[in-house]
Amino acid sequence: MSDARAATEAVFRVERTRLVGGLLRYVGDVGLAEDLAQDALVAALEQWPADGVPRNPGAWLMTVARRRAVDLVRRDRVLADKYALVAPTLQSTSSGPDEEALDGDGIDDDVLRLVFVACHPVLPPAARVALALRLLGGLTTAEIARAYGQPETTVAQRISRAKKTIAQAGAPFEVPTGDDRAARLPSVLEVVYLVFNEGYTATAGDDWARPELCFEALRLARVLAALLPDEPEVLGLQALLELQSSRLDARVGPDGAPVLLADQDRRRWDRLLIRRGLDALARAEARGGRGPYVLQAAIAACHARAFSVDETDWTRIAALYAELVALVPSPVVELNRAVAVARAVGPQEGLDVVDALAATGTLDAYHLLPSVRADLLVRLGRVDEARGELVRAAGMTANLRERDLLLRRWHDLDGTAAPADET
């Protein structure tokens, strides 16, 4: 891929969500907004390599997309009714770059509205999350399928049906209020959280992390916290994402290789983000917050306050994970609890938790189960068994950086070295 094409596609990834959100405000159709955004990308790939990236690439893309919307509805008689509805607005603003629509607080409003539309109650929960990950996170259907461990065709059909349902329902493009907002809020928080997780550790590809997704999720969490300053779980989510984001620079080495928690240079953790996270957590706890996001933020705060792995309050982390498991039973959370138990009590106690979890078969396809088990086996001196678990884990992940890390740990095992774990 040429440098110009790569630069164009990088800009598009940054602008895509805002572009779709802005277009949806005018055309009122999710699928059409996505198609128009894609048309704008094609135009950019044709022009930018020769002319250079414009001063305001987002405005350029929006202008092109909206002009194409006008052309489209003029050509297609099937969309005649829609043209009558949207053309006056489009024509009144399509003569030049749409600077105003893409600057300032209006951008945040459009993206936030996009999230709430994707989380409309006419959709089943699984469809809401899949559609929002597609629209907000820009994840491909394959990436969403991998994140949920489901066939790609199933996810593709789910997203397609969701778009049709939203269109048929005539869902207004707005941030809801009152009971409607409260009903959609859990799905909105889950979507923001999942987008962040995909950025924090990519399910597939050449990169260990995708920071742009993390910062977009963090930005949305801040917008939500400003919109709902008295909701403990909203503050908890903001706190969690601020604290997790503080480690992003330290999680990747100069060569792009993953750097696990125990090996990170904590001087590279962003202290401003930590302060913001601890402040949001304090506000959530002051409002009685004890939900899933507040608990996870409290765990992240234990790491943020510690100067090293050995100085971390693992006993408190294990207790917080136990509370989290009781509140939201999850095999992944139980696996994380096992790591904390191993640190707080000992590797055999942690391995007992992992083996009990493995016996249920619920994480048979989850590569971090054998990875964590390998760590604990090494600490117990069972190196040969650990090697087998590392190879198994490497064969289960689709992220190339993570696979390299697991194989390097396998290669480095000499019977005494203890690979680091990550919670």
Side-chain angles (χ1 to χ4, degrees), residues 234-320:
V234 175
L235 293 171
L237 178 65
Q238 183 200 349
L240 175 62
L241 302 196
E242 300 272 11
L243 292 167
Q244 295 290 81
S245 296
S246 72
R247 303 184 213 157
L248 282 172
D249 284 347
R251 293 184 75 244
V252 180
D255 60 351
V259 181
L260 300 185
L261 182 64
D263 301 321
Q264 289 171 16
D265 181 353
R266 298 188 180 212
R267 294 171 299 182
R268 297 184 62 198
W269 290 6
D270 190 316
R271 309 316 296 182
L272 175 60
L273 291 179
I274 289 175
R275 285 198 298 274
R276 294 180 67 120
L278 294 178
D279 177 67
L281 177 59
R283 285 185 284 135
E285 291 177 333
R287 288 162 175 76
R290 211 63 188 172
Y293 297 115
V294 174
L295 290 174
Q296 291 180 78
I299 292 169
C302 290
H303 292 297
R305 293 185 176 111
F307 293 106
S308 69
V309 169
D310 291 338
E311 295 176 82
T312 305
D313 188 349
W314 291 104
T315 301
R316 174 167 169 72
I317 292 176
L320 287 167

Side-chain angles (χ1 to χ4, degrees), residues 339-412:
V339 175
V341 167
R343 288 285 183 182
V345 185
Q348 184 58 57
E349 286 75 6
L351 185 61
D352 291 342
V353 176
V354 173
D355 286 345
L357 187 57
T360 67
T362 52
L363 292 181
D364 281 351
Y366 190 53
H367 69 284
L368 290 183
L369 177 70
S371 175
V372 169
R373 195 165 188 276
D375 293 336
L376 301 178
L377 289 169
V378 169
R379 292 173 62 187
L380 291 167
R382 295 158 61 178
V383 177
D384 287 342
E385 293 175 72
R387 286 196 179 97
E389 291 292 75
L390 287 172
V391 171
R392 190 159 73 95
M396 294 165 67
T397 179
N399 185 289
L400 299 181
R401 293 288 186 180
E402 196 164 30
R403 183 182 303 166
D404 290 345
L405 172 69
L406 290 162
L407 293 177
R408 189 169 68 247
R409 287 166 55 191
W410 171 83
H411 180 76
D412 291 344

Side-chain angles (χ1 to χ4, degrees), residues 83-325:
Y83 172 68
L85 179 64
V86 305
T89 304
L90 291 166
Q91 288 178 320
S92 66
T93 56
S94 62
S95 57
D98 192 10
E99 306 277 353
E100 182 179 357
L102 288 167
D103 286 336
D105 294 339
I107 294 173
D108 292 342
D109 290 344
D110 281 345
V111 176
L112 192 60
R113 289 189 187 100
L114 188 61
V115 179
F116 274 99
V117 166
C119 294
H120 196 281
V122 297
L123 300 176
R128 296 176 203 170
V129 174
L131 181 60
L133 288 174
R134 179 81 184 93
L135 296 178
L136 177 66
L139 272 62
T140 66
T141 302
E143 288 172 335
I144 299 171
R146 277 192 290 272
Y148 281 87
Q150 295 180 338
E152 190 171 336
T153 52
T154 300
V155 173
Q157 291 170 358
R158 182 176 296 160
I159 292 174
S160 177
R161 283 197 298 268
K163 290 179 183 176
K164 290 178 181 176
T165 302
I166 287 285
Q168 291 169 355
F173 185 43
E174 63 184 16
V175 177
T177 59
D179 292 343
D180 193 12
R181 175 191 290 175
R184 288 196 227 179
L185 189 57
S187 288
V188 169
L189 297 182
E190 182 181 8
V191 163
V192 175
Y193 177 69
L194 289 173
V195 169
F196 182 88
N197 281 348
E198 178 60 26
Y200 200 67
T201 305
T203 54
D206 297 334
D207 297 322
W208 163 244
R210 300 170 65 181
E212 72 278 8
L213 290 183
C214 292
F215 290 125
E216 179 64 14
L218 175 58
R219 190 183 66 82
L220 283 171
R222 289 172 178 170
V223 172
L224 284 167
L227 186 68
L228 303 166
D230 294 319
E231 289 285 346
E233 278 295 89
V234 175
L235 293 171
L237 178 65
Q238 183 200 349
L240 175 62
L241 302 196
E242 300 272 11
L243 292 167
Q244 295 290 81
S245 296
S246 72
R247 303 184 213 157
L248 282 172
D249 284 347
R251 293 184 75 244
V252 180
D255 60 351
V259 181
L260 300 185
L261 182 64
D263 301 321
Q264 289 171 16
D265 181 353
R266 298 188 180 212
R267 294 171 299 182
R268 297 184 62 198
W269 290 6
D270 190 316
R271 309 316 296 182
L272 175 60
L273 291 179
I274 289 175
R275 285 198 298 274
R276 294 180 67 120
L278 294 178
D279 177 67
L281 177 59
R283 285 185 284 135
E285 291 177 333
R287 288 162 175 76
R290 211 63 188 172
Y293 297 115
V294 174
L295 290 174
Q296 291 180 78
I299 292 169
C302 290
H303 292 297
R305 293 185 176 111
F307 293 106
S308 69
V309 169
D310 291 338
E311 295 176 82
T312 305
D313 188 349
W314 291 104
T315 301
R316 174 167 169 72
I317 292 176
L320 287 167
Y321 271 126
E323 189 176 347
L324 187 58
V325 170

